[in-house]
């Protein structure tokens, strides 16, 4: 009898994972923050058995108070996977205020004994002008922008980040001290000598940020033997590894967007950085620091131009990136 009982128990344990996986959902591709005072479509991917249906319920709460809630019927008619959006609605917030809410999502088969799965996650809530409280700080950075495509200037204007513009002739010899930003869309291939000069300026003490260049390569000043201004450190990372500037914010990679990366190679005894089409075996982030001179050169391949308006998190990451490159500290 005991042997028979153990056999039945083992069979039930083997069957349980199959049953448990019959109904599931994934909310991992959302930014971990939303805007207050608006409706945010929060994407959920639901999995279930073909030709079945389930009930999806959700509730967004703040310290026990329900901000918004809802329910949807999910039908798996032509596919075992269905994508839907939860309309999360939050009342307005004052500038500079952020709150931590709980999002509780549950999925159950529509019968009394149906299988049910539930997930609770933290979601930060921010006011619409998420960088407004830091305007005086960004003004102190003295951001000088060379923007070949005009895309980065539009982003700075929308986020109210103050800046002055640089011409291509002023780029290697900025008028004032401050943070030099080269906007997205810059082609190394057509400006080979200019990028080499920028690398030299970083070795001499300039803080320079290159946002998503699109082609070509340039030499990393100071890595060759006998260099005048050798870098004190050089680090690489991809979007899955949050650099220290992000302050616990997480970049959400969209696999549907093709994003170039950066790769290292040697040419004529020089260390070169090259833009490559595929992110495989490449990096999203290169940080070259010159401690003796105080200079820094950062090349960032994160696609701010495509994702900046999807929520507060990419906007905050961009703001933190500007501060990090300049070497200055923001107020908490």
């Amino acid at each position: 009898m005991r042997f028979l009982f153990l056999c039945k128990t083992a069979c039930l344990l083997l069957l349980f994972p199959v049953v448990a996986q019959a109904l599931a959902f994934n909310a991992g591709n959302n930014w971990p923050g939303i805007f207050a005072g608006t409706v945010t479509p929060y994407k959920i991917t639901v999995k279930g058995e073909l030709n079945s249906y389930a009930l999806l319920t959700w509730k967004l709460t703040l310290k026990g108070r329900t901000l918004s809630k809802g329910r949807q019927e999910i039908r798996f008619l032509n596919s075992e996977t269905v994508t839907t959006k939860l309309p999360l609605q939050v009342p307005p917030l004052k500038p500079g205020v952020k709150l931590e809410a709980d999002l509780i999502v549950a999925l159950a088969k529509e019968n009394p004994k149906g299988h049910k799965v539930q997930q609770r996650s933290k979601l930060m809530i921010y006011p619409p002008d998420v960088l407004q409280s830091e305007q005086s700080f960004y003004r102190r950075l003295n951001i000088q922008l060379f923007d070949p495509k005009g895309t980065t200037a539009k982003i700075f204007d929308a986020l109210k980040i103050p800046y002055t513009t640089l011409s291509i002739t002023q780029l290697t010899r900025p008028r004032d001290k401050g943070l030099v930003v080269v906007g997205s869309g810059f082609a190394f291939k057509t400006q080979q000598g200019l990028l080499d000069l920028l690398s030299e300026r970083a070795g001499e003490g300039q803080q320079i940020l290159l946002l998503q260049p699109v082609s070509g390569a340039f030499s990393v000043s100071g890595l060759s033997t006998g260099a005048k201004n050798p870098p004190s450190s050089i680090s690489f990372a991809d979007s899955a590894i949050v650099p220290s500037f992000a302050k616990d914010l997480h970049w959400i990679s969209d696999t549907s967007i093709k994003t170039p990366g950066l790769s290292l190679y040697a040419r004529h005894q020089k260390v070169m950085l090259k833009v490559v089409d595929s992110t495989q075996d490449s990096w999203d982030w290169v940080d070259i620091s010159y401690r003796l001179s105080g200079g820094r050169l950062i090349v960032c391949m994160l696609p701010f131009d495509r994702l900046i308006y999807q929520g507060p998190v990419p906007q905050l990451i961009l703001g933190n990136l500007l501060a990090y490159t300049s070497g200055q500290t923001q107020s908490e």
Side-chain angles (χ1 to χ4, degrees):
M1 290 294 293
R2 184 179 180 184
F3 175 76
L4 181 60
F5 172 78
L6 291 175
C7 287
K8 289 182 178 179
T9 303
C11 290
L12 288 173
L13 290 174
L14 289 173
L15 287 173
F16 180 76
V18 178
V19 175
Q21 293 301 318
L23 207 59
F25 59 85
N26 177 29
N29 291 325
N30 292 283
W31 295 103
I34 61 175
F35 285 121
T38 186
V39 177
T40 300
Y42 194 85
K43 187 168 67 175
I44 296 283
T45 301
V46 182
K47 294 183 178 180
E49 298 176 355
L50 194 63
N51 297 321
S52 69
Y53 61 94
L55 180 65
L56 177 69
T57 58
W58 57 271
K59 181 168 63 173
L60 184 65
T61 65
L62 177 64
K63 297 181 179 179
R65 175 193 172 193
T66 299
L67 301 178
S68 62
K69 63 180 180 179
R71 54 193 289 160
Q72 299 179 22
E73 187 178 84
I74 308 296
R75 293 183 176 273
F76 303 97
L77 299 180
N78 301 314
S79 174
E80 295 179 349
T81 302
V82 175
T83 298
T84 187
K85 295 180 180 179
L86 313 181
L88 305 184
Q89 187 169 6
V90 182
L93 284 181
K94 295 180 180 180
V97 175
K98 64 178 181 179
L99 299 172
E100 186 179 69
D102 290 303
L103 177 62
I104 305 167
V105 183
L107 184 66
K109 288 187 176 181
E110 288 197 16
N111 60 71
K113 298 181 180 180
H115 175 62
K116 181 178 181 179
V117 291
Q118 181 172 301
Q119 177 177 299
R120 179 189 293 263
S121 57
K122 298 293 183 181
L123 202 58
M124 297 303 300
I125 302 174
Y126 299 89
D129 294 325
V130 69
L131 300 181
Q132 182 176 339
S133 61
E134 296 286 349
Q135 294 304 302
S136 59
F137 169 78
Y138 294 120
R139 194 170 290 108
R140 292 198 304 271
L141 297 187
N142 189 21
I143 298 172
Q144 301 163 66
L145 174 65
F146 172 71
D147 195 20
K149 300 295 184 181
T151 306
T152 303
K154 291 179 180 178
I155 291 174
F156 283 4
D157 291 340
L159 301 184
K160 301 176 183 177
I161 297 174
Y163 65 94
T164 57
T165 57
L166 291 177
S167 67
I168 195 167
T169 56
Q170 296 168 330
L171 182 57
T172 56
R173 290 294 180 186
R175 298 182 295 266
D176 306 307
K177 290 185 178 180
L179 173 60
V180 173
V181 178
V182 179
S184 61
F186 191 85
F188 291 164
K189 188 178 296 184
T190 59
Q191 299 290 345
Q192 181 67 50
L194 180 60
L195 266 297
D196 290 340
L197 288 173
L198 283 179
S199 183
E200 291 178 12
R201 297 293 88 80
E204 294 169 359
Q206 185 73 54
Q207 291 84 35
I208 302 172
L209 171 62
L210 302 177
L211 291 173
Q212 205 176 3
V214 294
S215 65
F218 74 103
S219 62
V220 181
S221 176
L223 290 186
S224 57
T225 304
K228 181 180 178 181
N229 298 306
S232 56
S233 66
I234 178 169
S235 60
F236 303 86
D238 60 30
S239 59
I241 303 174
V242 181
S244 58
F245 76 85
K247 298 182 180 179
D248 299 324
L249 297 170
H250 298 279
W251 184 268
I252 303 297
S253 296
D254 189 343
T255 56
S256 65
I257 296 177
K258 183 180 179 182
T259 305
L262 293 164
S263 180
L264 274 177
Y265 73 104
R267 186 179 72 184
H268 306 307
Q269 297 183 338
K270 288 185 177 181
V271 178
M272 306 292 293
L273 269 174
K274 181 180 180 180
V275 178
V276 293
D277 291 335
S278 174
T279 55
Q280 186 176 3
D281 299 325
S282 65
W283 293 280
D284 298 298
W285 165 269
V286 176
D287 180 1
I288 307 169
S289 176
Y290 301 84
R291 182 177 56 84
L292 293 179
S293 67
R296 169 167 261 138
L297 174 62
I298 289 178
V299 185
C300 181
M301 303 301 291
L302 300 180
F304 288 108
D305 56 340
R306 301 186 189 182
L307 304 180
I308 196 70
Y309 303 112
Q310 288 192 356
V313 173
Q315 297 178 13
L316 287 166
I317 290 177
L318 175 59
N320 291 343
L321 172 58
L322 296 172
Y324 177 82
T325 310
S326 70
Q328 299 190 40
T329 304
Q330 295 168 274
S331 61
E332 292 295 333

